[in-house]
Amino acid sequence: KADNISRTAWPSEDDHGLRMMASPWSPPPWMKAPTPDDDEGAEHAAEMTNSATPSCLREGTGKSSKYAQSWALFFSKFITAYKKLGINLFAITPQNEPEFPAPWDACAYTPKVEHEFIAHHLGPVFNKTHPEVKILMFDHNKDHVSTWGKTILNQSSP
């Protein structure tokens, strides 16, 4: 349990001590689009396992997606809960291994989809609630980092 961790022994960030980051595997099933394993016509995923592609989120990540907005709020509430325990997160990533629709808890994104999620939902929520927490992109293998960087850091899109 986080409340049993002795944080007094940790060096502060100012002393270049421990910096904590978090990265999710999957949103709850009710936020996810049906996966190939779900029944035909299902409204949402039955479980957290597997992922629809190119985006695991119902309604995608466009500006009007209430599920992407809810997922961004989950991130904020997660960070707030850890703060209340005295654990300050340095950074988060929107998704662990976004290119892999794993057969376990997963949420696939393309560079464009992750960019939209950050630009329309996660970024604005963090600007209001946790501006000190960094958002790191592409928590995956390095072979595609250039493609992801060019898309997500493109200032001319959302």
Side-chain angles (χ1 to χ4, degrees):
K1 288 188 170 183
D3 59 347
N4 291 331
I5 298 171
S6 174
R7 291 173 297 281
T8 57
W10 293 354
S12 72
E13 246 185 75
D14 294 339
D15 298 331
H16 304 288
L18 180 65
R19 289 184 176 177
M20 299 284 287
M21 67 168 282
S23 185
W25 276 13
S26 177
W30 64 268
M31 287 185 191
K32 292 178 71 171
T35 71
D37 293 340
D38 290 316
D39 294 336
E40 188 174 328
E43 287 187 31
H44 59 78
E47 299 180 20
M48 290 172 49
T49 55
N50 210 324
S51 179
T53 56
S55 170
C56 79
L57 293 170
R58 289 170 73 182
E59 299 182 353
T61 53
K63 288 181 183 181
S64 63
S65 173
K66 62 186 173 197
Y67 300 102
Q69 187 63 30
S70 294
W71 187 223
L73 289 172
F74 262 56
F75 277 83
S76 179
K77 290 179 182 207
F78 170 81
I79 291 168
T80 299
Y82 266 67
K83 262 188 182 178
K84 286 180 181 177
L85 295 171
I87 299 172
N88 296 314
L89 293 175
F90 166 75
I92 59 93
T93 67
Q95 181 57 44
N96 179 59
E97 297 183 331
E99 292 182 320
F100 186 38
W104 49 82
D105 300 1
C107 184
Y109 290 113
T110 63
K112 179 182 183 287
V113 168
E114 186 167 296
H115 174 74
E116 289 175 346
F117 178 59
I118 294 168
H120 298 309
H121 305 285
L122 193 60
V125 166
F126 273 36
N127 281 339
K128 289 179 187 172
T129 61
H130 299 289
E132 75 286 358
V133 177
K134 310 287 185 241
I135 300 173
L136 306 178
M137 64 175 192
F138 192 57
D139 179 5
H140 207 108
N141 302 336
K142 65 182 180 181
D143 54 342
H144 298 144
V145 72
S146 177
T147 301
W148 283 72
K150 287 177 185 173
T151 302
I152 292 173
L153 300 175
N154 182 349
Q155 297 295 313
S156 66
S157 58

